[in-house]
Amino acid sequence: MNHSVSSLEKKHFPVMLDEVIQICNPSQKNQLVIDCTFGGGGYTKALLKFPNIKVLALDRDKSVIKRAERLKSESPNQFKFYNEKFSNLDKIVKVEKKPDVIIFDLGISTLQLQDFSRGFSFKSKDKIDMQMGLSDVSAEEVINTLDEKNLKLVIKILGEEREAGRITKNIIKARQIKKIDTVAQLVKIIESSKKKNYNKKINVCTKTFQALRIFVNKEISELIEGLIKATQYIKFGGKIIIVSFHSIEDKIIKYYFTNYSSNKSNPSRYMPSQNNEKNSFFKKYKNDFLVPSEKEIIKNSASRSAKLRHATRTEKIFNYPEEFKEKFKKYLDIENAKI
Ligand SMILES: C[S@@+](CC[C@H](N)C(=O)[O-])C[C@H]1O[C@@H](n2cnc3c(N)ncnc32)[C@H](O)[C@@H]1O
Protein backbone atom coordinates (compact mmCIF):
# COMPACT_ATOMS: atom_id res chain seq x y z
CA MET A 1 0.00 0.00 0.00
CA ASN A 2 1.25 3.48 -0.77
CA HIS A 3 1.55 5.92 2.10
CA SER A 4 -0.11 9.33 1.74
CA VAL A 5 2.32 12.11 0.82
CA SER A 6 1.54 14.16 3.94
CA SER A 7 2.19 11.22 6.28
CA LEU A 8 5.49 10.66 4.48
CA GLU A 9 6.43 14.32 4.75
CA LYS A 10 6.32 13.97 8.53
CA LYS A 11 8.92 11.20 8.27
CA HIS A 12 11.20 13.20 6.02
CA PHE A 13 14.33 14.43 7.81
CA PRO A 14 16.72 16.65 5.83
CA VAL A 15 20.19 15.17 6.17
CA MET A 16 22.85 17.21 8.05
CA LEU A 17 20.56 20.22 8.10
CA ASP A 18 22.35 22.05 10.94
CA GLU A 19 25.73 21.62 9.26
CA VAL A 20 24.41 22.83 5.88
CA ILE A 21 22.75 25.91 7.41
CA GLN A 22 25.83 26.80 9.41
CA ILE A 23 28.05 26.67 6.31
CA CYS A 24 25.55 28.88 4.43
CA ASN A 25 25.93 31.52 7.15
CA PRO A 26 22.43 32.86 6.40
CA SER A 27 22.49 35.77 8.84
CA GLN A 28 24.87 37.53 6.46
CA LYS A 29 22.93 40.19 4.50
CA ASN A 30 21.40 39.72 1.04
CA GLN A 31 22.57 36.23 0.29
CA LEU A 32 21.36 34.28 -2.72
CA VAL A 33 21.33 30.51 -2.24
CA ILE A 34 20.55 27.93 -4.90
CA ASP A 35 19.15 24.68 -3.52
CA CYS A 36 19.71 22.35 -6.48
CA THR A 37 17.80 19.45 -4.91
CA PHE A 38 14.67 20.86 -3.28
CA GLY A 39 13.08 17.43 -2.46
CA GLY A 40 11.10 17.69 0.80
CA GLY A 41 12.15 21.35 0.97
CA GLY A 42 13.96 20.87 4.30
CA TYR A 43 17.02 23.03 3.53
CA THR A 44 15.00 25.69 1.71
CA LYS A 45 12.44 26.02 4.53
CA ALA A 46 15.19 26.42 7.14
CA LEU A 47 16.97 29.06 5.02
CA LEU A 48 13.80 31.06 4.39
CA LYS A 49 13.47 31.68 8.11
CA PHE A 50 16.28 34.22 7.70
CA PRO A 51 14.67 37.43 6.39
CA ASN A 52 17.53 38.69 4.21
CA ILE A 53 18.05 35.56 2.23
CA LYS A 54 16.72 34.61 -1.20
CA VAL A 55 16.47 30.99 -2.29
CA LEU A 56 16.13 29.62 -5.81
CA ALA A 57 15.31 25.92 -5.72
CA LEU A 58 15.47 23.29 -8.44
CA ASP A 59 14.17 19.77 -8.63
CA ARG A 60 13.70 17.48 -11.61
CA ASP A 61 10.71 15.82 -9.94
CA LYS A 62 7.30 17.32 -10.77
CA SER A 63 5.81 15.83 -7.60
CA VAL A 64 7.53 18.51 -5.48
CA ILE A 65 5.87 21.43 -7.32
CA LYS A 66 2.88 21.61 -4.93
CA ARG A 67 5.20 21.77 -1.93
CA ALA A 68 7.24 24.48 -3.63
CA GLU A 69 4.08 26.48 -4.41
CA ARG A 70 3.09 26.36 -0.75
CA LEU A 71 6.45 27.80 0.23
CA LYS A 72 6.18 30.41 -2.50
CA SER A 73 2.86 31.61 -1.09
CA GLU A 74 4.43 31.91 2.37
CA SER A 75 7.57 33.75 1.17
CA PRO A 76 6.68 35.30 -2.22
CA ASN A 77 9.63 37.70 -2.38
CA GLN A 78 12.24 35.33 -1.09
CA PHE A 79 11.68 32.16 -3.09
CA LYS A 80 11.41 30.80 -6.63
CA PHE A 81 11.19 27.22 -7.83
CA TYR A 82 12.24 25.69 -11.16
CA ASN A 83 11.34 22.19 -12.32
CA GLU A 84 14.76 21.68 -13.87
CA LYS A 85 17.77 19.36 -13.73
CA PHE A 86 20.82 20.85 -12.05
CA SER A 87 22.91 20.13 -15.14
CA ASN A 88 20.91 23.10 -16.52
CA LEU A 89 21.89 25.41 -13.68
CA ASP A 90 23.19 27.95 -16.20
CA LYS A 91 19.65 28.59 -17.48
CA ILE A 92 18.60 29.76 -14.02
CA VAL A 93 21.69 31.64 -12.91
CA LYS A 94 21.85 33.62 -16.15
CA VAL A 95 18.56 35.32 -15.38
CA GLU A 96 19.35 35.97 -11.73
CA LYS A 97 22.36 37.42 -9.90
CA LYS A 98 25.33 35.20 -9.10
CA PRO A 99 24.67 32.97 -6.07
CA ASP A 100 26.63 33.08 -2.80
CA VAL A 101 25.96 29.41 -2.05
CA ILE A 102 24.99 26.42 -4.20
CA ILE A 103 23.79 23.26 -2.43
CA PHE A 104 23.41 19.72 -3.76
CA ASP A 105 21.89 16.92 -1.66
CA LEU A 106 22.24 13.98 -4.03
CA GLY A 107 20.12 10.95 -4.79
CA ILE A 108 16.47 10.36 -4.06
CA SER A 109 14.42 11.61 -1.13
CA THR A 110 12.61 9.47 1.42
CA LEU A 111 9.41 10.75 -0.19
CA GLN A 112 10.40 9.25 -3.55
CA LEU A 113 11.69 6.01 -2.00
CA GLN A 114 8.54 5.43 0.01
CA ASP A 115 6.13 6.21 -2.81
CA PHE A 116 6.01 2.59 -3.96
CA SER A 117 4.31 3.49 -7.24
CA ARG A 118 7.67 4.95 -8.38
CA GLY A 119 9.46 1.61 -8.06
CA PHE A 120 12.60 2.89 -6.31
CA SER A 121 12.18 0.53 -3.37
CA PHE A 122 12.62 -3.22 -3.55
CA LYS A 123 9.67 -3.40 -1.13
CA SER A 124 7.40 -2.12 -3.92
CA LYS A 125 5.12 -4.48 -5.82
CA ASP A 126 4.54 -1.95 -8.59
CA LYS A 127 6.18 -1.39 -11.97
CA ILE A 128 9.94 -0.84 -12.12
CA ASP A 129 9.99 2.83 -13.06
CA MET A 130 12.75 4.64 -11.06
CA GLN A 131 12.49 7.92 -12.99
CA MET A 132 13.15 10.95 -10.78
CA GLY A 133 11.68 13.20 -13.46
CA LEU A 134 12.89 14.66 -16.76
CA SER A 135 14.47 11.25 -17.45
CA ASP A 136 14.48 9.63 -20.91
CA VAL A 137 13.97 5.98 -20.01
CA SER A 138 12.42 3.88 -17.25
CA ALA A 139 14.15 1.03 -15.41
CA GLU A 140 11.62 -1.31 -17.01
CA GLU A 141 12.88 -0.37 -20.48
CA VAL A 142 16.48 -0.80 -19.29
CA ILE A 143 16.11 -4.30 -17.90
CA ASN A 144 13.98 -5.49 -20.81
CA THR A 145 15.97 -4.01 -23.70
CA LEU A 146 19.55 -3.08 -22.81
CA ASP A 147 22.01 -5.60 -24.32
CA GLU A 148 23.75 -8.08 -22.02
CA LYS A 149 27.21 -6.47 -22.15
CA ASN A 150 25.99 -3.01 -21.20
CA LEU A 151 23.49 -4.28 -18.62
CA LYS A 152 26.31 -6.16 -16.88
CA LEU A 153 28.48 -3.02 -16.93
CA VAL A 154 25.65 -0.96 -15.42
CA ILE A 155 25.14 -3.42 -12.55
CA LYS A 156 28.85 -4.08 -12.00
CA ILE A 157 30.24 -0.55 -12.27
CA LEU A 158 27.36 1.75 -11.27
CA GLY A 159 26.08 -0.66 -8.60
CA GLU A 160 29.52 -1.96 -7.57
CA GLU A 161 27.85 -5.40 -7.53
CA ARG A 162 30.32 -8.32 -7.48
CA GLU A 163 27.76 -10.81 -8.80
CA ALA A 164 26.69 -8.66 -11.74
CA GLY A 165 27.45 -11.45 -14.26
CA ARG A 166 25.03 -13.93 -12.76
CA ILE A 167 22.32 -11.33 -12.11
CA THR A 168 22.55 -10.10 -15.72
CA LYS A 169 22.42 -13.63 -17.18
CA ASN A 170 19.31 -14.40 -15.13
CA ILE A 171 17.63 -11.13 -16.17
CA ILE A 172 18.31 -11.97 -19.84
CA LYS A 173 16.97 -15.53 -19.40
CA ALA A 174 13.83 -14.32 -17.62
CA ARG A 175 13.02 -11.57 -20.13
CA GLN A 176 13.27 -14.04 -23.03
CA ILE A 177 10.38 -15.94 -21.46
CA LYS A 178 8.28 -13.03 -20.21
CA LYS A 179 8.67 -9.27 -19.92
CA ILE A 180 9.94 -8.26 -16.48
CA ASP A 181 7.51 -5.56 -15.46
CA THR A 182 7.18 -5.53 -11.69
CA VAL A 183 9.64 -4.86 -8.89
CA ALA A 184 8.65 -8.17 -7.30
CA GLN A 185 9.76 -10.09 -10.43
CA LEU A 186 13.11 -8.30 -10.48
CA VAL A 187 13.65 -8.89 -6.74
CA LYS A 188 13.07 -12.64 -7.24
CA ILE A 189 15.63 -12.77 -10.05
CA ILE A 190 18.26 -10.93 -8.00
CA GLU A 191 17.64 -13.04 -4.89
CA SER A 192 17.97 -16.27 -6.86
CA SER A 193 21.20 -15.03 -8.50
CA LYS A 194 23.05 -13.99 -5.37
CA LYS A 195 25.30 -16.69 -3.91
CA LYS A 196 26.64 -14.57 -1.12
CA ASN A 197 25.63 -11.44 0.68
CA TYR A 198 29.02 -9.80 1.23
CA ASN A 199 27.54 -7.00 3.31
CA LYS A 200 24.95 -8.33 5.71
CA LYS A 201 23.85 -4.80 6.63
CA ILE A 202 22.32 -4.16 3.20
CA ASN A 203 19.62 -5.98 1.27
CA VAL A 204 20.87 -8.23 -1.58
CA CYS A 205 18.96 -6.05 -4.07
CA THR A 206 20.39 -2.70 -2.95
CA LYS A 207 23.30 -2.55 -5.37
CA THR A 208 21.37 -3.59 -8.48
CA PHE A 209 18.63 -1.11 -7.63
CA GLN A 210 21.22 1.63 -7.10
CA ALA A 211 22.78 0.81 -10.47
CA LEU A 212 19.46 0.99 -12.34
CA ARG A 213 18.46 4.24 -10.64
CA ILE A 214 21.80 5.87 -11.46
CA PHE A 215 21.57 4.74 -15.09
CA VAL A 216 17.93 5.78 -15.59
CA ASN A 217 18.57 9.26 -14.18
CA LYS A 218 22.12 9.69 -15.58
CA GLU A 219 23.20 10.63 -12.08
CA ILE A 220 26.95 10.63 -12.72
CA SER A 221 26.63 12.89 -15.78
CA GLU A 222 24.34 15.15 -13.75
CA LEU A 223 26.82 15.34 -10.88
CA ILE A 224 29.80 16.14 -13.12
CA GLU A 225 27.91 18.74 -15.18
CA GLY A 226 26.32 20.21 -12.01
CA LEU A 227 29.69 20.66 -10.30
CA ILE A 228 31.21 22.28 -13.38
CA LYS A 229 28.29 24.69 -13.86
CA ALA A 230 28.22 25.57 -10.15
CA THR A 231 31.92 26.45 -10.36
CA GLN A 232 31.32 28.54 -13.46
CA TYR A 233 28.36 30.53 -12.14
CA ILE A 234 28.96 30.94 -8.39
CA LYS A 235 30.24 34.26 -7.01
CA PHE A 236 33.94 34.56 -6.24
CA GLY A 237 34.15 33.72 -2.52
CA GLY A 238 30.92 31.70 -2.78
CA LYS A 239 30.53 28.16 -1.44
CA ILE A 240 29.52 24.88 -3.03
CA ILE A 241 28.07 22.40 -0.53
CA ILE A 242 27.41 18.82 -1.52
CA VAL A 243 25.98 15.90 0.43
CA SER A 244 26.52 12.48 -1.15
CA PHE A 245 25.52 8.95 -0.25
CA HIS A 246 27.66 6.47 -2.18
CA SER A 247 31.27 5.89 -2.99
CA ILE A 248 31.17 6.72 -6.71
CA GLU A 249 29.69 10.16 -6.03
CA ASP A 250 32.09 10.81 -3.18
CA LYS A 251 35.11 9.76 -5.26
CA ILE A 252 34.13 12.27 -7.96
CA ILE A 253 33.48 15.15 -5.52
CA LYS A 254 36.67 14.52 -3.56
CA TYR A 255 38.70 14.44 -6.78
CA TYR A 256 37.10 17.63 -8.09
CA PHE A 257 37.51 19.75 -4.96
CA THR A 258 41.02 18.49 -4.27
CA ASN A 259 42.43 18.71 -7.76
CA TYR A 260 40.91 22.07 -8.60
CA SER A 261 41.89 23.74 -5.34
CA SER A 262 44.83 26.01 -4.68
CA ASN A 263 46.72 23.34 -2.71
CA LYS A 264 46.82 21.08 -5.76
CA SER A 265 46.07 22.89 -8.95
CA ASN A 266 47.74 20.65 -11.48
CA PRO A 267 44.98 18.14 -12.12
CA SER A 268 46.94 16.20 -14.69
CA ARG A 269 50.51 15.05 -14.42
CA TYR A 270 50.73 15.57 -18.19
CA MET A 271 49.93 19.27 -17.81
CA PRO A 272 52.94 21.61 -17.96
CA SER A 273 53.70 22.93 -14.48
CA GLN A 274 53.41 26.61 -15.50
CA ASN A 275 49.64 25.92 -15.81
CA ASN A 276 49.45 24.99 -12.14
CA GLU A 277 47.68 28.16 -11.13
CA LYS A 278 45.25 28.06 -14.04
CA ASN A 279 42.57 25.82 -12.60
CA SER A 280 42.66 26.57 -8.88
CA PHE A 281 38.94 27.30 -8.69
CA PHE A 282 38.75 26.57 -4.95
CA LYS A 283 40.58 27.66 -1.83
CA LYS A 284 42.80 25.10 -0.10
CA TYR A 285 40.93 21.80 0.11
CA LYS A 286 42.49 18.84 1.85
CA ASN A 287 39.94 16.04 1.69
CA ASP A 288 37.91 17.59 4.49
CA PHE A 289 34.42 16.23 4.98
CA LEU A 290 31.73 16.03 7.65
CA VAL A 291 29.53 13.07 8.58
CA PRO A 292 26.22 13.02 10.50
CA SER A 293 26.33 12.98 14.30
CA GLU A 294 25.47 9.79 16.22
CA LYS A 295 22.29 11.57 17.31
CA GLU A 296 21.21 12.18 13.72
CA ILE A 297 21.96 8.60 12.68
CA ILE A 298 19.81 7.29 15.55
CA LYS A 299 16.94 9.60 14.51
CA ASN A 300 17.31 8.95 10.78
CA SER A 301 19.23 5.81 9.84
CA ALA A 302 19.12 6.80 6.16
CA SER A 303 21.66 9.51 6.96
CA ARG A 304 24.33 7.01 8.01
CA SER A 305 26.16 6.92 4.68
CA ALA A 306 26.10 10.70 4.11
CA LYS A 307 29.28 12.74 3.54
CA LEU A 308 29.21 16.50 3.35
CA ARG A 309 31.97 18.29 1.44
CA HIS A 310 32.17 22.01 0.76
CA ALA A 311 34.60 24.24 -1.05
CA THR A 312 35.02 28.01 -1.43
CA ARG A 313 35.47 29.56 -4.88
CA THR A 314 38.63 31.56 -5.53
CA GLU A 315 38.80 34.44 -8.01
CA LYS A 316 40.36 32.34 -10.75
CA ILE A 317 38.65 32.83 -14.09
CA PHE A 318 36.70 29.73 -15.07
CA ASN A 319 37.95 27.59 -17.88
CA TYR A 320 36.26 24.34 -18.74
CA PRO A 321 37.85 21.40 -16.85
CA GLU A 322 37.88 18.90 -19.75
CA GLU A 323 40.29 16.68 -17.86
CA PHE A 324 37.72 16.18 -15.07
CA LYS A 325 35.26 14.62 -17.51
CA GLU A 326 38.00 12.54 -19.09
CA LYS A 327 38.98 11.17 -15.68
CA PHE A 328 35.47 9.75 -15.10
CA LYS A 329 34.76 8.84 -18.74
CA LYS A 330 34.26 5.18 -17.77
CA TYR A 331 31.06 6.10 -15.89
CA LEU A 332 29.86 8.59 -18.50
CA ASP A 333 30.26 6.01 -21.29
CA ILE A 334 28.21 3.47 -19.34
CA GLU A 335 25.45 6.01 -18.70
CA ASN A 336 25.39 6.87 -22.39
CA ALA A 337 24.85 3.28 -23.58
CA LYS A 338 22.05 3.21 -26.14
CA ILE A 339 18.83 1.41 -25.26
C1 LIG B 1 17.94 13.79 -1.14
S1 LIG B 1 16.64 14.67 -1.86
C2 LIG B 1 16.84 16.30 -1.27
C3 LIG B 1 16.22 16.58 0.07
C4 LIG B 1 16.27 18.03 0.47
N1 LIG B 1 17.61 18.48 0.69
C5 LIG B 1 15.43 18.33 1.69
O1 LIG B 1 15.93 18.97 2.59
O2 LIG B 1 14.28 17.94 1.74
C6 LIG B 1 17.14 14.84 -3.53
C7 LIG B 1 16.17 15.54 -4.44
O3 LIG B 1 16.93 15.99 -5.55
C8 LIG B 1 16.27 15.75 -6.73
N2 LIG B 1 17.29 15.55 -7.77
C9 LIG B 1 18.17 14.52 -7.88
N3 LIG B 1 18.96 14.70 -8.94
C10 LIG B 1 18.61 15.88 -9.50
C11 LIG B 1 19.07 16.62 -10.63
N4 LIG B 1 20.06 16.15 -11.40
N5 LIG B 1 18.49 17.79 -10.91
C12 LIG B 1 17.47 18.28 -10.13
N6 LIG B 1 16.98 17.61 -9.08
C13 LIG B 1 17.54 16.44 -8.75
C14 LIG B 1 15.43 14.51 -6.48
O4 LIG B 1 14.32 14.49 -7.34
C15 LIG B 1 15.08 14.67 -5.00
O5 LIG B 1 13.84 15.30 -4.87
Side-chain angles (χ1 to χ4, degrees):
M1 198 178 77
N2 293 336
H3 307 273
S4 79
V5 171
S6 57
S7 77
L8 288 178
E9 273 181 24
K10 287 188 199 124
K11 289 188 206 149
H12 172 76
F13 303 110
V15 172
M16 300 185 80
L17 176 68
D18 293 344
E19 291 85 347
V20 168
I21 301 302
Q22 201 186 348
I23 299 163
C24 289
N25 193 12
S27 35
Q28 225 173 49
K29 282 218 158 145
N30 299 324
Q31 286 220 72
L32 175 65
V33 178
I34 303 196
D35 178 353
C36 286
T37 49
F38 177 75
Y43 296 168
T44 294
K45 255 188 252 171
L47 287 166
L48 289 173
K49 291 195 178 126
F50 294 83
N52 286 316
I53 215 162
K54 281 202 173 142
V55 181
L56 305 179
L58 275 66
D59 202 298
R60 60 191 297 172
D61 188 349
K62 280 194 174 50
S63 79
V64 310
I65 293 178
K66 270 208 177 118
R67 196 173 310 125
E69 281 170 353
R70 264 200 319 266
L71 267 191
K72 174 85 185 155
S73 66
E74 289 162 18
S75 312
N77 303 321
Q78 270 182 285
F79 176 61
K80 267 192 209 167
F81 175 79
Y82 299 85
N83 180 217
E84 195 48 271
K85 292 192 278 193
F86 55 62
S87 56
N88 291 326
L89 196 57
D90 49 325
K91 286 193 196 162
I92 280 115
V93 183
K94 263 185 198 153
V95 295
E96 306 282 347
K97 71 171 190 133
K98 287 198 160 196
D100 298 276
V101 183
I102 299 182
I103 313 170
F104 301 87
D105 178 15
L106 301 175
I108 50 168
S109 67
T110 345
L111 303 167
Q112 289 166 324
L113 182 69
Q114 292 179 3
D115 178 352
F116 288 169
S117 67
R118 316 252 331 232
F120 287 114
S121 166
F122 37 77
K123 291 181 191 149
S124 158
K125 300 277 178 276
D126 270 293
K127 60 185 167 60
I128 324 161
D129 185 54
M130 298 197 193
Q131 299 182 77
M132 285 188 199
L134 307 172
S135 327
D136 298 324
V137 287
S138 68
E140 185 188 301
E141 285 170 83
V142 177
I143 57 168
N144 284 292
T145 57
L146 190 60
D147 63 86
E148 184 168 348
K149 178 175 154 257
N150 280 310
L151 187 57
K152 183 175 165 189
L153 280 175
V154 168
I155 299 174
K156 184 173 172 198
I157 308 293
L158 300 182
E160 301 179 303
E161 170 60 73
R162 297 192 202 187
E163 295 182 77
R166 212 170 14 253
I167 295 172
T168 308
K169 280 221 162 2
N170 288 337
I171 289 176
I172 304 286
K173 249 195 241 164
R175 79 187 192 191
Q176 280 162 354
I177 300 165
K178 183 177 174 289
K179 189 176 177 197
I180 306 164
D181 52 12
T182 66
V183 172
Q185 272 172 276
L186 180 61
V187 165
K188 246 190 179 169
I189 297 169
I190 299 168
E191 283 174 350
S192 68
S193 313
K194 289 279 285 190
K195 278 207 172 138
K196 228 175 166 178
N197 189 6
Y198 294 92
N199 182 353
K200 298 266 180 300
K201 285 187 197 147
I202 65 168
N203 186 289
V204 286
C205 300
T206 303
K207 292 183 172 203
T208 305
F209 272 59
Q210 171 185 302
L212 291 168
R213 196 200 80 205
I214 294 177
F215 182 80
V216 164
N217 298 291
K218 308 264 175 284
E219 290 181 42
I220 307 298
S221 315
E222 279 294 309
L223 171 61
I224 289 178
E225 209 51 49
L227 278 173
I228 294 175
K229 296 240 168 103
T231 310
Q232 184 174 8
Y233 289 98
I234 200 162
K235 227 185 207 170
F236 293 149
K239 291 173 193 160
I240 299 177
I241 305 173
I242 182 151
V243 180
S244 67
F245 293 85
H246 62 76
S247 59
I248 304 176
E249 287 170 349
D250 188 55
K251 182 165 63 183
I252 294 172
I253 301 158
K254 174 181 159 188
Y255 176 86
Y256 189 62
F257 283 169
T258 310
N259 285 279
Y260 293 96
S261 73
S262 47
N263 49 302
K264 189 177 176 197
S265 48
N266 190 11
S268 162
R269 61 198 161 103
Y270 304 110
M271 237 185 190
S273 58
Q274 62 265 35
N275 279 345
N276 267 6
E277 276 299 294
K278 205 171 135 196
N279 285 331
S280 42
F281 303 140
F282 303 109
K283 290 193 180 154
K284 220 177 192 169
Y285 183 84
K286 287 218 177 277
N287 190 21
D288 321 303
F289 61 87
L290 302 171
V291 292
S293 63
E294 291 274 321
K295 201 172 142 204
E296 176 167 359
I297 296 172
I298 292 168
K299 187 173 160 200
N300 174 19
S301 65
S303 69
R304 67 190 179 280
S305 51
K307 268 192 185 167
L308 185 161
R309 295 180 184 268
H310 62 103
T312 304
R313 184 75 167 88
T314 59
E315 298 197 358
K316 286 283 172 234
I317 301 297
F318 176 81
N319 60 73
Y320 199 88
E322 276 301 342
E323 178 272 347
F324 175 43
K325 274 194 161 163
E326 201 48 43
K327 168 92 186 161
F328 296 103
K329 190 173 177 301
K330 171 175 90 172
Y331 299 110
L332 300 177
D333 286 349
I334 294 172
E335 280 192 349
N336 283 327
K338 289 276 167 285
I339 295 286

